[in-house]
């Protein structure tokens, strides 16, 4: 008799509804840390800002302060960037720190939770594609960013070491370390605390 009462009590506990675990509802681009890694090579400064690991929340800023800036406007300068074997030629912009620069973002940004009453381009596209209400929708990396950051992270979202080759060009002239390109390495990271 005692065994059956114990069994019934255990069985009754199993029938009780389990409370669902609730996670926080922060947007996918919400930073949980802030770590900067930087390197200088020739006329280039490379700055990586990590905002979450694991995950792809990291940006890369490349500032150029070389001789081409004295010959051409910053808007005429393009920066050749190779990151872990993936390469792009990217139009520079005039910076506020006496440089021409490019800014690249590896992860989602500009996230917003879409509700039916919202009339934003991201939410309108989300609902037009059959998306549900109450879902975080974010701007995604451009094709150039997706290609460049392809090998920047491992399968778990941790950062690989970033081997970066750089050069600048404008109107057929190159600042490329005599054709060898400038090189910088940023360390691998698996956390950003």
């Amino acid at each position: 008799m005692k065994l059956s009462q114990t069994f019934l009590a255990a069985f009754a506990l199993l029938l009780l509804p389990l409370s669902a675990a609730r996670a926080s509802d922060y947007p996918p681009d919400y930073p949980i840390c802030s770590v900067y890694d930087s390197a200088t090579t020739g006329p280039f400064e490379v700055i990586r800002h990590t905002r979450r690991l694991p995950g792809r929340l990291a940006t890369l800023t490349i500032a150029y302060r070389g001789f081409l800036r004295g010959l051409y406007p910053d808007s005429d300068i393009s920066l050749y960037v190779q990151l872990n074997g993936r390469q792009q030629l990217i139009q520079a912009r005039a910076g506020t720190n006496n440089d021409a620069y490019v800014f690249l973002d590896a992860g989602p940004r500009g996230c917003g939770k879409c509700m039916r009453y919202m009339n934003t381009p991201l939410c309108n596209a989300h609902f037009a594609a059959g998306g549900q209400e109450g879902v975080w929708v974010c701007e995604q990396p451009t094709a150039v960013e997706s290609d460049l950051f392809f090998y920047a992270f491992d399968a778990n979202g941790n950062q690989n070491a970033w081997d970066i080759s750089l050069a600048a060009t404008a109107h057929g002239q190159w600042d490329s370390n005599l054709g060898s390109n400038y090189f910088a390495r940023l360390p691998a990271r698996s956390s950003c605390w």
Side-chain angles (χ1 to χ4, degrees):
M1 187 73 172
K2 185 89 169 159
L3 180 61
S4 64
Q5 286 178 341
T6 305
F7 175 74
L8 288 174
F11 185 70
L13 286 174
L14 287 175
L15 294 176
L16 290 175
L18 296 175
S19 60
R22 293 184 182 234
S24 60
D25 193 24
Y26 290 109
D29 63 344
Y30 185 80
I32 60 171
C33 61
S34 182
V35 175
Y36 288 91
D37 294 299
S38 64
T40 301
T41 177
F44 292 94
E45 182 179 9
V46 178
I47 305 163
R48 177 177 65 194
H49 180 204
T50 304
R51 300 182 326 264
R52 184 186 302 162
L53 282 175
R56 299 178 69 89
L57 279 157
T59 60
L60 179 65
T61 304
I62 301 168
Y64 172 69
R65 297 182 182 94
F67 74 88
L68 291 176
R69 294 193 66 244
L71 302 174
Y72 305 104
D74 290 339
S75 60
D76 288 357
I77 297 172
S78 293
L79 302 185
Y80 167 82
V81 181
Q82 183 181 36
L83 174 58
N84 291 357
R86 303 299 279 220
Q87 58 190 352
Q88 293 287 334
L89 188 63
I90 305 166
Q91 185 70 42
R93 294 185 268 178
T96 57
N97 296 309
N98 194 28
D99 58 19
Y101 78 100
V102 296
F103 177 80
L104 303 157
D105 196 333
R109 60 266 162 119
C111 298
K113 186 173 275 190
C114 289
M115 306 304 267
R116 291 274 177 208
Y117 62 84
M118 299 175 89
N119 188 19
T120 65
L122 276 176
C123 289
N124 291 343
H126 172 71
F127 291 128
Q132 297 179 352
E133 188 171 29
V135 174
W136 287 106
V137 178
C138 308
E139 293 177 39
Q140 296 301 317
T142 65
V144 167
E145 290 168 328
S146 292
D147 181 65
L148 199 59
F149 289 112
F150 191 79
Y151 294 119
F153 301 88
D154 67 18
N156 297 319
N158 297 312
Q159 287 175 348
N160 295 322
W162 290 11
D163 292 331
I164 303 169
S165 293
L166 301 163
T169 185
H171 298 278
Q173 289 190 300
W174 284 86
D175 187 353
S176 63
N177 195 21
L178 302 174
S180 298
N181 294 338
Y182 297 94
F183 178 79
R185 177 169 239 224
L186 300 177
R189 287 193 173 277
S190 58
S191 71
C192 56
W193 297 106

